[in-house]
Amino acid sequence: MIFAFLVCNNAHMNMDDDYQYIVALYQSGTLSGAAKQLKVNHTTVARRIQAFEKRFKVRLFERVPKGYQLTETGKAVLPDIALLKEQQRNIERKLFGQDQLLSGEVNIALTPELANDFVVPALNEFNALYPNIQTNLLIGSMHKDLHAREADIALRFTPSPSQDDLIGRKLFASNWGVYASDDYLSTSRAQHRVLLWELEFEADWHNKYLPSSNVIARFDQLGPLVTATKNGLGIAKLPCGLVDSQQNSNLYRLDIPVKPSIWSLWLLYHSDLKTAAKVTATKDFLYQHLSQFSLYFSGEHSRYWK
């Protein structure tokens, strides 16, 4: 009943405008977190929430030591707001999926490494084929929610897609190897310096194969880890594709057996977008372009240190 009151007495309100501030503050718990999520100033979040509460003479949030939490009134209306947001996303996604024009924007979520080394170099060719499609690269390590239309297409390294309503095309497996620079390998040392990736699925690999070693750094991004290895900081376990596809690289692979990788590169998109012409053109181009690197990611082009 509370929700019906809100709708009837504020029919002019833009749901995607005001309601998004309520949802963001609930999800983040802080004004700064909500502002970051919505890409606005934190004072804007506070002002919009206060105006909403004043308009309906209710309090949706209360201050707590760590930020904000919902009042009982807020808890009562939040499910309805979330349902409306979900319905709106469904409508927008289905309408977007019927678009047969080879023009407009396509949002692609991908990692920095894929963007820099594999996708950005192909954008000239894509633009020549489809000059009226604008590609927006959403670069980062956090997964975008395709169901919520945070992106239209995702290029994702994952063991398997986690959402049932996504259509996935597996490009290739991403095998890993142990690498070091020629300068590092040319230097005699009593103890090896090991560099680790934060999400390494075989965290103790160096203990098995390099018993005389010491972990000197950890990285939560693969790009800086590759750079540190190139600079001779130490030995690292890396995706073969990120190393072997680079010409004139000073990195060499060591003949060390490692556990087979669980990661593969997937191209993902929501099933509602399967008939959208611009999405189809973009995903087909990406699939064809990236498939040529499969042998690099398999490790078949690795240069071994002798």
Side-chain angles (χ1 to χ4, degrees):
M1 295 302 293
I2 295 176
F3 171 67
F5 170 80
L6 295 183
V7 173
C8 292
N9 284 272
N10 198 37
H12 67 278
M13 182 173 56
N14 184 334
M15 180 200 68
D16 194 43
D17 195 21
D18 279 1
Y19 284 7
Q20 66 180 343
Y21 289 90
I22 298 172
V23 173
L25 184 56
Y26 162 71
Q27 291 175 339
S28 64
T30 65
L31 292 175
S32 59
K36 183 177 180 181
Q37 180 177 326
L38 297 172
K39 297 181 174 60
V40 297
N41 191 285
H42 74 278
T43 58
T44 301
V45 178
R47 177 171 52 81
R48 297 300 293 267
I49 295 292
Q50 290 169 3
F52 188 95
E53 292 178 328
K54 183 178 180 181
R55 184 184 306 142
F56 297 107
K57 298 180 176 59
V58 296
R59 287 186 62 207
L60 299 180
F61 294 92
E62 59 184 356
R63 289 292 301 269
V64 294
K66 293 185 179 181
Y68 289 82
Q69 69 180 19
L70 288 170
T71 63
E72 290 304 314
T73 301
K75 292 177 182 178
V77 300
L78 184 69
D80 296 308
I81 293 175
L83 179 60
L84 275 179
K85 295 287 291 180
E86 179 68 18
Q87 290 174 339
Q88 183 192 35
R89 284 194 294 262
N90 290 342
I91 292 170
E92 291 177 349
R93 193 174 57 244
K94 289 176 181 178
L95 291 175
F96 185 83
Q98 300 303 312
D99 186 359
Q100 296 303 303
L101 298 177
L102 288 172
S103 62
E105 301 182 23
V106 177
N107 298 314
I108 306 169
L110 69 171
T111 65
E113 298 77 31
L114 279 175
N116 293 335
D117 297 336
F118 302 97
V119 174
V120 171
L123 291 183
N124 275 340
E125 181 183 353
F126 180 81
N127 181 254
L129 292 170
Y130 306 104
N132 295 319
I133 297 179
Q134 175 182 315
T135 51
N136 301 326
L137 302 188
L138 310 177
I139 301 172
S141 299
M142 299 296 292
H143 288 178
K144 296 292 185 181
D145 188 346
L146 300 183
H147 186 73
R149 286 216 58 212
E150 291 180 351
D152 302 314
I153 296 171
L155 291 170
R156 188 178 297 172
F157 284 105
T158 180
S160 62
S162 57
Q163 290 180 278
D164 294 336
D165 49 4
L166 297 183
I167 297 177
R169 298 180 70 181
K170 182 179 176 180
L171 282 93
F172 43 72
S174 177
N175 291 325
W176 292 54
V178 179
Y179 292 85
S181 70
D182 49 3
D183 287 342
Y184 178 91
L185 293 171
S186 298
T187 303
S188 177
R189 59 189 78 245
Q191 189 177 55
H192 281 295
R193 302 195 300 255
V194 175
L195 315 176
L196 293 181
W197 183 42
E198 195 68 32
L199 299 180
E200 170 60 54
F201 58 89
E202 188 186 13
D204 61 344
W205 66 266
H206 55 95
N207 293 327
K208 296 179 181 179
Y209 309 116
L210 300 170
S212 181
S213 62
N214 181 39
V215 176
I216 65 166
R218 292 179 183 269
F219 297 78
D220 64 355
Q221 297 282 337
L222 286 172
L225 175 57
V226 173
T227 300
T229 311
K230 285 182 177 180
N231 289 337
L233 183 60
I235 293 178
K237 186 179 172 187
L238 302 170
C240 297
L242 297 187
V243 179
D244 299 345
S245 63
Q246 298 180 4
Q247 296 183 353
N248 303 319
S249 173
N250 67 332
L251 293 181
Y252 287 84
R253 187 173 175 181
L254 304 182
D255 192 12
I256 294 177
V258 293
K259 188 177 179 180
S261 171
I262 62 173
W263 303 95
S264 294
L265 179 60
W266 288 78
L267 188 153
L268 305 172
Y269 58 99
H270 197 280
S271 57
D272 286 343
L273 304 184
K274 62 184 178 182
T275 59
K278 57 189 173 186
V279 173
T280 298
T282 305
K283 66 181 178 60
D284 288 349
F285 175 86
L286 289 172
Y287 187 88
Q288 182 177 3
H289 169 70
L290 292 171
S291 293
Q292 65 183 305
F293 298 104
S294 61
L295 291 181
Y296 290 108
F297 278 88
S298 72
E300 294 183 34
H301 285 185
S302 296
R303 293 189 306 159
Y304 285 88
W305 182 257
K306 297 180 180 181

